[in-house]
Amino acid sequence: MKTDDFDFYLPEELIAQTPLKKRDSSKLLVLDKKTGEIEHRHFSDIIEYLEPNDVLVMNNTKVIPARLYGVKEETNAVIEILMLKTTSDDCWECLAKPAKRVKVGTVINFGDGKLKAECIRVGDEGIREFKLIYKGILYEILDTLGEMPLPPYIHEKLEDKDRYQTVYAVTPGSAAAPTAGLHFTLELLDKIKEKGVKIVYVTLHVGLGTFRPVNVDDVKNHTMHSEFYEMSKETADILNDAKENGYNIVSVGTTSTRTLETVMSLYNTFKECSGWTQIFIYPGYKFKAIDKQITNFHLPKSTLVMLVSALAGKENILNAYNEAVKNKYRFFSFGDSMFIK
């Protein structure tokens, strides 16, 4: 299976640069994975496609202001780092730029010494591990010094940083937002609950995989970077009850999907657990956890396009994407949405 099989034409003007004023006013393309039939709706209509006793699974990770600009203590050279994931107490794996200037022992100074980072390991592809040195609470310091790590295809300044967070984000740790959840408002979630749909949360901290393209010809040769996930007992119990009674499990986004499929692949049931996942889902994968999915429109040749193709079929997905282009849907993080039913 070739990476090029997941390519499609996308005019640059369809890459959304800013969020819409109202979260749930985005377009919604509804795709029937069995027939390939397509409907064009708005996201606020999603409630019509959810049934009582369905379980809606959302990723409650919170994006941290993970992009930092500092200077090397020895030379005052400007260094940018993007914090990707914590490896142990106050140690973080980061993407450094320019990475060639950062070697083991290099100390980078941020905010006149409010935060320092000493390089303790050199990895591949610009990855560096740093020991962070600071006084106080790290996330409070990051709120002062850091910037929201918007993807590289977004060139507009984000006026309200909360628009790159879901309304239910509570657990800090992500380097990118789980963007399928950006369409929900608190009012819409209340209406969904009133319909009898159960809403549960998992956590997956989005890391390097979001920023890395697939650079191999054969899909099977691609290696996913690991990301931390967590599932509570309460969530596991509700999901197991849904499985036993034949209710639909609807995942919000590829990150929720990867969490659910990881847990089910490891334990053949849902259970309270946490760990690191490198699960890579592409066509041929047999889904064990989810029935339906809410998702955004993803980058050509990305692992995310491969995941939705595994669920709905590659031809159905590429046809839906072409239909979305024709109908001027907005793509990527701040773009429109798709419901695969």
Side-chain angles (χ1 to χ4, degrees):
M1 193 178 303
K2 299 297 182 188
T3 301
D4 285 344
D5 294 342
F6 299 91
D7 199 6
F8 60 90
Y9 170 68
L10 179 66
E12 194 171 338
E13 64 266 21
L14 295 184
I15 300 172
Q17 293 297 313
T18 54
L20 296 176
K21 283 186 179 176
K22 198 165 184 303
R23 287 176 184 260
D24 62 359
S25 64
S26 53
K27 292 179 182 177
L28 174 68
L29 186 149
V30 181
L31 172 64
D32 187 318
K33 62 180 183 285
K34 290 178 183 166
T35 66
E37 288 180 13
I38 288 170
E39 297 173 71
H40 298 287
R41 305 293 295 269
H42 285 93
F43 193 79
S44 54
D45 301 325
I46 189 68
I47 193 165
E48 295 178 28
Y49 297 92
L50 301 173
E51 301 165 17
N53 294 311
D54 279 359
V55 182
L56 196 62
V57 187
M58 311 180 114
N59 181 6
N60 66 6
T61 189
K62 190 171 186 178
V63 185
I64 60 174
R67 180 167 276 122
L68 293 160
Y69 296 89
V71 293
K72 280 177 70 171
E73 285 201 337
E74 316 95 272
T75 64
N76 276 343
V78 175
I79 304 290
E80 173 190 340
I81 69 168
L82 178 62
M83 299 169 66
L84 298 171
K85 63 184 181 186
T86 181
T87 53
S88 59
D89 286 349
D90 289 330
C91 292
W92 282 77
E93 193 174 275
C94 304
L95 200 55
K97 191 176 172 184
K100 62 184 179 184
R101 294 193 173 181
V102 181
K103 300 182 169 47
V104 171
T106 295
V107 176
I108 305 170
N109 195 322
F110 304 96
D112 296 324
K114 285 182 185 169
L115 175 68
K116 292 185 178 183
E118 181 182 354
C119 180
I120 58 174
R121 182 178 68 85
V122 171
D124 297 329
E125 300 178 302
I127 295 291
R128 300 291 186 268
E129 188 174 352
F130 291 96
K131 174 74 174 175
L132 302 185
I133 304 152
Y134 59 93
K135 288 180 180 175
I137 299 168
L138 177 60
Y139 291 129
E140 289 182 359
I141 294 168
L142 292 179
D143 278 337
T144 305
L145 300 179
E147 293 181 5
M148 274 300 194
L150 293 179
Y153 48 76
I154 292 177
H155 309 298
E156 297 282 331
K157 184 172 168 50
L158 182 62
E159 298 300 332
D160 177 4
K161 65 180 183 181
D162 284 341
R163 289 307 307 273
Y164 195 57
Q165 302 278 17
T166 62
V167 295
Y168 47 83
V170 293
T171 309
S174 265
T179 54
L182 295 178
H183 306 281
F184 286 93
T185 64
L186 292 174
E187 294 78 15
L188 181 57
L189 289 172
D190 284 341
K191 288 178 185 173
I192 289 169
K193 287 177 192 168
E194 285 167 15
K195 189 171 181 178
V197 176
K198 296 184 175 74
I199 297 177
V200 299
Y201 300 94
V202 294
T203 302
L204 183 134
H205 292 320
V206 188
L208 186 61
T210 298
F211 299 91
R212 283 285 187 235
V214 178
N215 289 323
V216 293
D217 292 332
D218 190 329
V219 168
K220 293 176 185 173
N221 293 332
H222 178 68
T223 302
M224 295 286 283
H225 289 264
S226 63
E227 294 168 311
F228 178 81
Y229 71 90
E230 192 166 23
M231 178 180 286
S232 69
K233 184 179 187 303
E234 180 187 11
T235 290
D237 288 347
I238 292 170
L239 289 169
N240 283 326
D241 181 69
K243 275 287 180 203
E244 286 166 20
N245 289 288
Y247 303 136
N248 292 312
I249 294 175
V250 184
S251 62
V252 178
T254 56
T255 59
S256 298
T257 299
R258 292 178 67 240
T259 304
L260 296 173
E261 293 297 327
T262 293
V263 174
M264 191 56 91
S265 296
L266 286 172
Y267 306 110
N268 208 31
T269 187
F270 296 110
K271 62 177 283 185
E272 181 179 13
C273 60
S274 63
W276 297 85
T277 182
Q278 285 182 284
I279 192 169
F280 181 19
I281 297 173
Y282 53 87
Y285 178 85
K286 302 297 182 197
F287 284 83
K288 306 166 187 66
I290 73 161
D291 302 293
K292 304 175 181 182
Q293 184 187 61
I294 296 167
T295 186
N296 273 23
F297 291 91
H298 306 294
L299 279 79
K301 301 196 282 189
S302 65
T303 60
L304 307 181
V305 167
M306 295 171 193
L307 186 152
V308 295
S309 296
L311 181 62
K314 180 166 69 73
E315 298 308 318
N316 284 342
I317 288 294
L318 292 179
N319 181 53
Y321 272 50
N322 288 332
E323 192 72 16
V325 168
K326 200 186 304 177
N327 285 274
K328 302 278 191 270
Y329 275 63
R330 303 164 83 244
F331 276 66
F332 306 164
S333 296
F334 289 138
D336 294 312
S337 59
M338 175 190 284
F339 179 51
I340 301 172
K341 67 175 189 175

